Amino acid sequence: MTHPDKIEIRGTLMSDKDLSALTWMRVGGPADWFFMPADEDDLATFLAALDPQIPVFPMGVGSNLIVRDGGIRGVVIRLGRGFNGIEIDGNRVTAGVAALDAHVARKAAEVGVDLTFLRTIPGAIGGAVRMNAGCYGAYVADVFVEAQAITRAGERVTLTADDLKFQYRQTDLPDGWVITRATFEGSTGDPAELVARMDAQLAKRDETQPTKDRTAGSTFRNPAGYSSTGRADDRHDLKAWKVIEDAGMRGATLGGAQMNPMHANFLTNTGDASAADLEGLGEEVRKKVYEHSGIELVWEIMRVGEPAGK
């Protein structure tokens, strides 16, 4: 097997790539290697040739991610141009993983397919599938048909819902596997009504969430009241922001990190936070909430990589 820079590729490969500018939080150290494949064939060839001992981390648009200050050992794979197409056939929508959730929702609505719940979810389709993203009582699991992926060994596979085992804010995708596209099936709706619904959702989001601040979306999962697919959670009374607020942690700070005053479940980089500040404040919130209510909050933001100095 082969070192990354010895593999013949058509895409882009860089060493010691700074990842901070690629995450919404704008923090994090470098990746040992950073690969942007030209297409699925390029990705499959690269993974098949890559030394199996070298870790692989698929990275989307960094909307729900903290990269630690020491960076990521191994290869970060980011799918960009060539992986953002959207095809619609009847009520089925197939989207590349780099297609933004909001763009998929808009394109589907134009032809009367209801995937409106995706409109306010930050990020791209790959992360939405991986995390079973959802809001307003609808989840990826509700509309998912299948996904195409490349395994760590470079094999092409089709994944069903049974393969992914959708749960609340997670799936069972094996380490190193890279989803390349996914197919969804939405219900039929009037295009004008779907657009109006999305506009209302956006207005509600902007009224209640700090959409102009540097955040990574919801920091912690809502602590209780969900089914195996997560459908019930958005309607449950017990919310992460409420238990954080009850523990006195709304607006709490550590270095440049803050639990947003507008919405207590939004961890925020106020300008000069390190990844250590952000993760440290999150852990302090978890501690205070547990001391106050006995509830153990679970991170929704993915944290990856090594601390500084490692």
Side-chain angles (χ1 to χ4, degrees):
M1 294 295 179
T2 313
H3 206 252
D5 60 346
K6 304 301 182 183
I7 302 172
E8 187 173 337
I9 60 168
R10 290 176 289 109
T12 302
L13 179 69
M14 292 172 274
S15 63
D16 202 34
K17 169 68 174 177
D18 178 25
L19 298 176
S20 62
L22 301 180
T23 71
W24 286 24
M25 284 290 206
R26 295 296 189 264
V27 297
D32 289 349
W33 296 95
F34 183 81
F35 177 46
M36 295 186 68
D39 50 34
E40 288 189 13
D41 289 342
D42 199 29
L43 174 60
T45 298
F46 179 85
L47 288 174
L50 183 67
D51 184 336
Q53 299 302 311
I54 296 177
V56 167
F57 177 69
M59 180 178 176
V61 296
S63 61
N64 198 232
L65 180 71
I66 292 174
V67 176
R68 296 186 176 107
D69 299 306
I72 296 178
R73 306 291 73 81
V75 180
V76 170
I77 294 177
R78 193 180 202 205
L79 307 186
R81 188 175 299 174
F83 294 89
N84 60 355
I86 302 172
E87 299 176 0
I88 301 176
D89 182 8
N91 278 36
R92 290 199 169 187
V93 179
T94 299
V97 292
L100 296 178
D101 300 331
H103 190 45
V104 173
R106 289 197 302 266
K107 295 291 284 186
E110 287 174 4
V111 295
V113 178
D114 185 359
L115 296 177
T116 52
F117 76 96
L118 289 170
R119 180 64 181 88
T120 58
I121 295 176
I125 287 298
V129 173
R130 178 75 183 268
M131 296 298 291
N132 189 19
C135 62
Y136 305 116
Y139 290 78
V140 164
D142 300 327
V143 296
F144 180 82
V145 177
E146 64 181 24
Q148 306 303 313
I150 310 295
T151 72
R152 177 61 182 81
E155 300 166 337
R156 299 169 187 267
V157 294
T158 298
L159 300 172
T160 66
D162 288 341
D163 295 323
L164 289 173
K165 296 181 174 60
F166 286 106
Q167 301 169 60
Y168 177 59
R169 295 293 190 262
Q170 68 182 64
T171 56
D172 285 351
L173 186 71
D175 288 343
W177 288 30
V178 184
I179 297 174
T180 58
R181 50 200 159 96
T183 300
F184 312 101
E185 185 167 355
S187 58
T188 301
D190 176 72
E193 291 178 0
L194 296 178
V195 169
R197 184 188 307 167
M198 291 190 296
D199 288 345
Q201 291 170 351
L202 282 173
K204 179 180 178 181
R205 183 192 65 177
D206 290 343
E207 288 174 3
T208 59
Q209 297 178 10
T211 54
K212 305 301 183 186
D213 294 338
R214 192 171 291 173
T215 77
S218 296
T219 304
F220 302 106
R221 302 176 187 176
N222 287 325
Y226 49 82
S227 66
S228 60
T229 61
R231 289 188 187 90
D233 188 74
D234 281 344
R235 296 188 296 273
H236 196 269
D237 290 337
L238 190 56
K239 298 289 189 179
W241 70 264
K242 183 66 165 59
V243 298
I244 293 169
E245 185 172 281
D246 290 347
M249 295 301 285
R250 178 191 288 270
T253 61
L254 176 64
Q258 182 182 42
M259 300 310 295
N260 202 280
M262 182 179 187
H263 192 303
N265 194 31
F266 278 70
L267 183 60
T268 306
N269 181 354
T270 62
D272 59 354
S274 65
D277 290 341
L278 294 162
E279 189 169 14
L281 179 57
E283 287 300 319
E284 181 66 16
V285 168
R286 294 181 71 239
K287 177 183 175 183
K288 293 293 187 183
V289 167
Y290 186 77
E291 290 174 350
H292 180 265
S293 62
I295 292 170
E296 189 167 352
L297 289 176
V298 176
W299 282 91
E300 184 166 325
I301 295 174
M302 182 180 291
R303 290 106 53 238
V304 297
E306 304 289 341
K310 293 198 176 181

